[in-house]
Amino acid sequence: TTHRLITDSSLTHHRDISFPTSAPDNLAMICFTSGTSGSAKGVMLSMSSISNNVAYKLDLFSRYVGTNVLAILPFAHVYGLVIELLLPLCAGAITNIIISNSISIKNIISSSILLSPKIIFVVPRLIECLINENYNLKHLFKGLDFLSVGGAELKNEVEKKLQQNNIGIAIGYGA
């Protein structure tokens, strides 16, 4: 497939570049998991595996064209890369990424208030911390459609607290 690479903002200078085509069953990436079903291991993912995961929920995400999504999860994990990054981008959402060596609750709170995201991707532990610190979840997540939670088990009491605050939850898994 040939695409044009724009190398000048005046759009007058360009050069053609080519990307290699790949068969759907070709290896796209090796993703390392924490091994929830055993020990840590590398999982080989094909092009079709990744694209099918994006396509599976693309219709749901199409209503988020132009809206803010807050991305916190690491892209080294399948759920973070495919569902948190690739899916919203393919659907036309504005993906705001927090990149930090240590993501603090303060950074997440200020980002959430500033950006008013419709979706936030989080690990359950983060929500537990917000609940334990008695944050006003309704105020903090004003305008939020749902929290997409992945990476670990969501405790029943945390789920109940989110439901009491009318915060939608989507549970996600990697591959």
Side-chain angles (χ1 to χ4, degrees):
T1 307
T2 302
H3 299 274
R4 294 213 183 260
L5 175 65
I6 306 301
T7 58
D8 182 76
S9 62
S10 68
L11 304 179
T12 58
H13 297 85
H14 66 271
R15 61 186 171 101
D16 291 336
I17 58 172
S18 295
F19 295 102
T21 57
S22 179
D25 292 331
N26 282 2
L27 178 67
M29 69 181 285
I30 298 175
C31 181
F32 288 86
T33 76
S34 57
T36 53
S37 62
S39 59
K41 57 190 145 290
V43 177
M44 300 188 312
L45 299 175
S46 67
M47 298 296 286
S48 63
S49 173
I50 293 170
S51 62
N52 286 338
N53 271 283
V54 170
Y56 176 67
K57 286 296 178 189
L58 197 54
D59 60 334
L60 168 73
F61 271 74
S62 64
R63 71 180 201 217
Y64 295 104
V65 171
T67 63
N68 283 322
V69 172
L70 187 57
I72 302 168
L73 302 176
F75 300 143
H77 295 270
V78 175
Y79 190 68
L81 176 67
V82 177
I83 304 303
E84 178 185 46
L85 180 65
L86 296 178
L87 176 58
L89 287 175
C90 288
I94 301 165
T95 304
N96 299 279
I97 304 167
I98 295 179
I99 299 175
S100 174
N101 288 337
S102 60
I103 297 173
S104 70
I105 289 180
K106 184 179 176 183
N107 288 345
I108 293 166
I109 290 170
S110 60
S111 296
S112 182
I113 292 169
L114 175 69
L115 300 169
S116 297
K118 291 287 186 184
I119 304 167
I120 301 176
F121 295 87
V122 295
V123 292
R125 182 70 184 122
L126 173 68
I127 300 302
E128 289 173 27
C129 289
L130 292 172
I131 290 170
N132 291 340
E133 295 290 324
N134 292 315
Y135 281 98
N136 182 334
L137 297 178
K138 284 185 182 181
H139 173 71
L140 178 60
F141 297 130
K142 183 178 173 185
L144 189 74
D145 277 3
F146 64 89
L147 288 171
S148 184
V149 182
E153 178 186 6
L154 183 64
K155 294 178 181 175
N156 287 337
E157 56 270 15
V158 173
E159 184 175 356
K160 286 177 185 171
K161 186 73 170 178
L162 292 171
Q163 289 171 346
Q164 289 168 358
N165 284 276
N166 295 318
I167 297 171
I169 311 161
I171 306 292
Y173 299 91

